[in-house]
Amino acid sequence: MKIGILTSGGDCPGLNAVIRGAVIKGDTVFEDEFLGYRDGWRGVIDDDWVPLPRRRVRGIGRVGGTILGTSRSNPFADGEDGAAIVRRHLEEHEIDAIIAIGGDGTLFTANRLVDSGIPVVGVPKTVDNDLDATDYTFGFDTAVEIATHALDRLRITGDSHHRCMVAEVMGRSVGWIALHSGMAAGAHVICIPEFPLSIEEICQQVRSAFDRGRAPLVVVAEGFVPRDAPEDFMDYDLDEFGRPRFGGIAQALAPLIEQRLGVESRATVLGHIQRGGEPTGYDRVLATRLGTAAVDLVHSGGIGRMVALRGTEIVDVPLADAIDSVKRVPRSRWEEATVLFG
Ligand code: F6P
């Protein structure tokens, strides 16, 4: 078969391992031929691609980012019906299927293309770990690892100066990275969008840690807003897709804590550093398994489906499942964490 691969949406450690896994499996087992679209769906629309022979994926499994480039373009932007263009390009090059590696937006587009008769299978990706149809997404473990190391460092300097350190991590609508890195680093408060604390509650936990002689560490997910904050508390610019461009909640919280408690406070935004690293061993293995399974899915006629992790097994589910619901931190995980606050 001839298979096109693309990476779309925000980049994520492990994308290259998926590509490598798919190409090696397809080459070795099925004698498939691969090509890689540049910059996600843009490459499909513009017919911009590179051949992906096995030698091209040599050693990339341990490298962060994506060798194909990525973007958030999609064939249906601005009311366009890009399906006809995609179909024409696939026919011209006799491509049998596309493996689309991406988050909810990418998988939504993939599903829409499938409805128009375009053969696509999906591989779920997000550092935020917010896709419900899979237990974990690759990239999340790496982001947590990077954030945890950064938080450990913030604790050291916070301890030296008896300061409260407020660290902002990724997580647009879910607090998985904040919860896991905060727990791993022994944070005194974790603020996540799912269970918004009030400013008063955050300050109580900071006070309690400070009074015990600790330098309080507050970890906050970028999409968090305190329960009692006024509506215009955070005023984010929108990106070209109309999504808030987050970044700044830590800088908003730190002076409030300092004012209310008289505890010197500093803010740090970890931002894209969390996405840029080499994938951890866990993410390399997960991504590789998803890549090899995606090729199996193409060969077993699984068009319109995506590979997913369930427990320790790789399974496949309808693409529609991935776009249906966001995986939020459940109350049980939140309550488990709150016992450690203060
Ligand atoms: O959705 C993944 C994510 O990393 C979010 O956590 C973050 O808000 C966003 O992407 C950043 O997007 P961009 O790369 O466009 O700045």
Side-chain angles (χ1 to χ4, degrees), residues 248-262:
I249 182 67
Q251 283 105 327
L253 288 178
L256 284 179
I257 293 169
E258 186 163 316
Q259 267 163 28
R260 291 197 181 201
L261 303 179

Side-chain angles (χ1 to χ4, degrees), residues 150-151 153-155 157-158 163-169 187-191 202-203 206 215-222 224 226 233 248-258 261 263-271:
L151 297 177
R153 288 169 186 222
L154 289 176
R155 290 201 68 161
T157 171
R163 282 175 177 156
C164 170
M165 306 303 282
V166 184
E168 179 177 318
V169 298
H188 300 100
V189 199
I190 301 171
C191 305
I202 296 167
C203 286
V206 169
L217 174 66
V218 180
V219 178
V220 55
E222 61 187 354
F224 169 82
F233 185 66
I249 182 67
Q251 283 105 327
L253 288 178
L256 284 179
I257 293 169
E258 186 163 316
L261 303 179
V263 176
E264 197 185 0
S265 302
R266 291 285 191 275
T268 301
V269 181
L270 298 187

Side-chain angles (χ1 to χ4, degrees), residues 266-299:
R266 291 285 191 275
T268 301
V269 181
L270 298 187
H272 293 79
I273 287 173
Q274 294 160 93
R275 276 195 351 211
E278 290 169 359
T280 58
Y282 178 89
D283 279 339
R284 294 180 200 187
V285 173
L286 175 58
T288 304
R289 292 179 73 201
L290 291 172
T292 61
V295 168
D296 283 334
L297 197 55
V298 169
H299 282 274

Side-chain angles (χ1 to χ4, degrees), residues 10 72 126-128 170-172 222 239 243 246 272 275:
R72 289 201 169 88
T126 143
V127 284
D128 290 359
M170 280 187 165
R172 300 187 69 79
E222 61 187 354
D239 66 15
R243 309 177 331 149
F246 287 121
H272 293 79
R275 276 195 351 211

Side-chain angles (χ1 to χ4, degrees), residues 57-76:
V57 301
R58 200 180 286 157
I60 66 169
R62 55 183 183 272
V63 181
T66 162
I67 59 163
L68 297 177
T70 185
S71 72
R72 289 201 169 88
S73 0
N74 90 73
F76 300 103

Side-chain angles (χ1 to χ4, degrees), residues 14-15 26 38 49 97 126 160 221 242 247 254 284:
L15 286 168
R38 286 202 173 104
W49 51 270
T126 143
S160 308
R284 294 180 200 187

Side-chain angles (χ1 to χ4, degrees), residues 22-45:
V23 170
I24 293 180
K25 174 88 186 242
D27 177 75
T28 312
V29 178
F30 300 108
E31 294 182 11
D32 291 330
E33 187 185 336
F34 289 89
L35 56 86
Y37 289 107
R38 286 202 173 104
D39 304 335
W41 296 111
R42 187 203 61 75
V44 187
I45 290 289

Side-chain angles (χ1 to χ4, degrees), residues 6 48 64 97 128 135 147 153 210 276 285 287 295 305 312 318:
L6 63 87
D48 183 6
D128 290 359
D135 285 355
R153 288 169 186 222
F210 194 73
V285 173
V295 168
R305 301 181 70 79
T312 56

